[in-house]
Amino acid sequence: MPTSPGKDYIPKEMKIKIAASILSADFSCLNEEIRKVESAGADMLHIDVMDGHFVPNITIGPMVVEDIRKSTALPLDVHLMIEKPQDFIDDFVKAGSNLITVHIETVTERKAREIKERLQKKGVRLGISLNPLTALHTIDKTLAFVDFVLVMSVNPGFGGQEFIGSVVPKIKELRSFFKGDIAVDGGINETTGKQVVAAGASILAAGSYIFKSKDYADSIRRLKCQA
Ligand code: DX5
Ligand code: ZN
């Protein structure tokens, strides 16, 4: 333990970033929810976009993202759970997204590369995501050009589901050869957050753990202290 932190000393827990997933927020007062989670210390807002085809649920589109952009200075981390994401990328960029994630189940390597080129011109980061049952090797070729990986730890579609523990070895394996950010999404709480951080995750996307709690700041602090 250093007695007096040197200039390079950064508390380990500060390296874990929290993406607050608004899917579990109260949409009747979304603006207020966003302000609360921002002042509670969230590092970004995770916005789940669902089309009723790739996943059995429908959520929000670019128009709502545009309004959210006006409510917050936090980076907008837009998780596209939609078929043909390439058809909607420009709309989500225009709406003010800072990070956009597409699923490997919805794009070829070539399409993902085209999306990356379009996003790079606009200064938007690209994430590639994979479902719990999708093998890690399916994203192999995209790792050379994506900015981060989003590992799904529930089957996408709904908030408040139970964490699927079998994804932990996948995170560990990915961390052994991938140096960028690894985000984990679904069923994240204090216990599962600890497991995925130990396996190498650097971003925790959490919805119900934060928004269903009484004290957002306390929940976020607990998640950040998992290292
Ligand atoms: C699930 C979404 C998640 C979801 C996580 O399809 O991608 O971002 O909001 O919610 P919790 O943290 O409640 O599992
Ligand atoms: Zn998500």
Side-chain angles (χ1 to χ4, degrees):
M1 276 294 276
T3 46
S4 63
K7 69 175 168 51
D8 294 325
Y9 179 78
I10 302 167
K12 211 177 168 201
E13 67 269 22
M14 295 313 287
K15 291 181 187 165
I16 303 300
K17 292 182 278 291
I18 305 300
S21 177
I22 60 164
L23 192 60
S24 298
D26 180 349
F27 274 68
S28 71
C29 51
L30 188 56
N31 195 32
E32 196 185 315
E33 289 276 68
I34 290 170
R35 280 168 201 273
K36 267 174 71 183
V37 85
E38 181 167 3
S39 60
D43 297 287
M44 59 190 101
L45 275 192
H46 183 90
I47 303 174
D48 289 309
V49 175
M50 306 185 186
D51 66 352
H53 292 279
F54 177 60
V55 289
N57 196 3
I58 298 176
T59 55
I60 63 175
M63 277 165 56
V64 177
V65 174
E66 201 176 326
D67 282 345
I68 292 174
R69 178 72 290 165
K70 296 175 201 154
S71 308
T72 182
L74 286 177
L76 302 185
D77 166 33
V78 174
H79 179 188
L80 297 182
M81 286 161 277
I82 61 175
E83 286 178 2
K84 299 192 180 159
Q86 65 275 8
D87 292 355
F88 298 93
I89 289 291
D90 294 340
D91 293 336
F92 283 103
V93 169
K94 264 189 228 135
S97 311
N98 303 95
L99 306 95
I100 292 182
T101 297
V102 299
H103 271 256
I104 193 65
E105 298 87 359
T106 65
V107 286
T108 57
E109 183 221 332
R110 200 173 130 212
K111 279 272 176 304
R113 203 179 274 277
E114 282 168 20
I115 291 172
K116 169 67 188 176
E117 282 161 15
R118 281 154 64 188
L119 292 184
Q120 198 154 16
K121 284 185 196 137
K122 304 286 181 182
V124 175
R125 297 176 76 205
L126 172 65
I128 191 80
S129 185
L130 72 171
N131 285 343
L133 286 177
T134 302
L136 191 54
H137 72 81
T138 59
I139 62 167
D140 274 358
K141 289 184 178 153
T142 67
L143 293 179
F145 60 86
V146 297
D147 298 292
F148 65 99
V149 177
L150 177 77
V151 177
M152 288 307 300
S153 43
V154 296
N155 289 309
F158 302 91
Q161 300 184 77
E162 201 174 322
F163 178 79
I164 298 174
S166 58
V167 302
V168 174
K170 198 196 262 187
I171 299 163
K172 213 169 182 175
E173 192 184 340
L174 176 62
R175 179 47 81 208
S176 70
F177 56 82
F178 182 67
K179 301 280 174 274
D181 273 320
I182 299 177
V184 182
D185 185 13
I188 295 295
N189 56 35
E190 247 180 283
T191 312
T192 57
K194 201 182 184 79
Q195 290 171 33
V196 302
V197 167
S202 52
I203 300 176
L204 301 177
S208 44
Y209 182 71
I210 297 172
F211 285 102
K212 302 294 182 206
S213 73
K214 286 205 172 71
D215 184 341
Y216 297 178
D218 185 55
S219 304
I220 290 173
R221 203 175 309 118
R222 284 167 188 274
L223 288 177
K224 281 196 182 186
C225 286
Q226 295 310 304

